[in-house]
Amino acid sequence: METGNETALIVRPEEAEYVALPHGGGFRLLADAADTGGALGANRLALGKGADGARPHYHTVSTELFYVLDGRVEFLVGEERESVGQGGMVVVPPKVAHAFGAAAGCTAELLAVLTPGIDRFGYFRTLGRIQHGLDSFDSLLPEQARYDVHFLEATAWRSAQTA
């Protein structure tokens, strides 16, 4: 849809690529940086009961916004653990370590927006392959700068998940 000199992005549900995850959830890839002139990237993530969404990491450039559409999500932000239910929002600025997953015994659905955008659809596709055992997590390590996802030791996250 044309609006002056700019073009609006419209993504219908049936047009968004879906990356299935083995716990019954998946990523719905809504907008990559290339789709928005670098303004943002967005995806919708459904998580099965107690499933991890992301291990500890940080972004050097982008702020990440999470809006909980359904269920309950456990976040580790810095050293703090937070539980956020439907209708809650978490905004993580650049360089702040974070991890998240569905709360124990709960499913969850989130809208995640990264701004400014980084082309990350390839990252989400790789995560899907990793979750299905078709690729190793180590395959993402050389791509950390490309996707602005810098992984950290997961010990604090694992201990928070089992607490």
Side-chain angles (χ1 to χ4, degrees):
M1 169 183 291
E2 292 292 326
T3 56
N5 293 330
E6 300 174 6
T7 301
L9 174 64
I10 299 171
V11 180
R12 291 173 179 77
E14 67 274 8
E15 298 168 342
E17 180 180 347
Y18 187 73
V19 177
L21 297 174
H23 50 67
F27 293 101
R28 190 157 307 277
L29 306 180
L30 299 171
D32 222 353
D35 302 322
T36 64
L40 60 86
N43 71 82
R44 185 172 178 162
L45 172 59
L47 295 169
K49 286 185 179 179
D52 266 349
R55 64 175 48 196
H57 67 283
Y58 66 92
H59 309 288
T60 59
V61 175
S62 298
T63 294
E64 193 162 23
L65 175 147
F66 299 94
Y67 181 78
V68 181
L69 298 165
D70 194 29
R72 179 158 291 283
V73 181
E74 295 292 327
F75 287 91
L76 185 67
V77 181
E79 306 256 335
E80 299 296 318
R81 184 176 178 185
E82 298 288 339
S83 183
V84 181
Q86 180 179 359
M89 182 178 75
V90 174
V91 178
V92 183
K95 300 181 181 152
V96 173
H98 57 287
F100 64 91
C106 296
T107 60
E109 205 161 331
L110 310 127
L111 174 67
V113 179
L114 198 72
T115 183
I118 304 288
D119 283 321
R120 295 177 73 214
F121 280 7
Y123 169 77
F124 296 118
R125 292 177 189 119
T126 301
L127 284 178
R129 287 193 303 276
I130 291 167
Q131 290 281 322
H132 286 284
L134 303 173
D135 215 337
S136 73
F137 179 77
D138 290 345
S139 69
L140 276 177
L141 297 179
E143 304 294 336
Q144 293 179 91
R146 174 183 176 191
Y147 295 128
D148 190 27
V149 178
H150 304 274
F151 300 105
L152 300 166
E153 173 56 46
T155 305
W157 177 239
R158 285 190 195 107
S159 64
Q161 290 296 86
T162 58

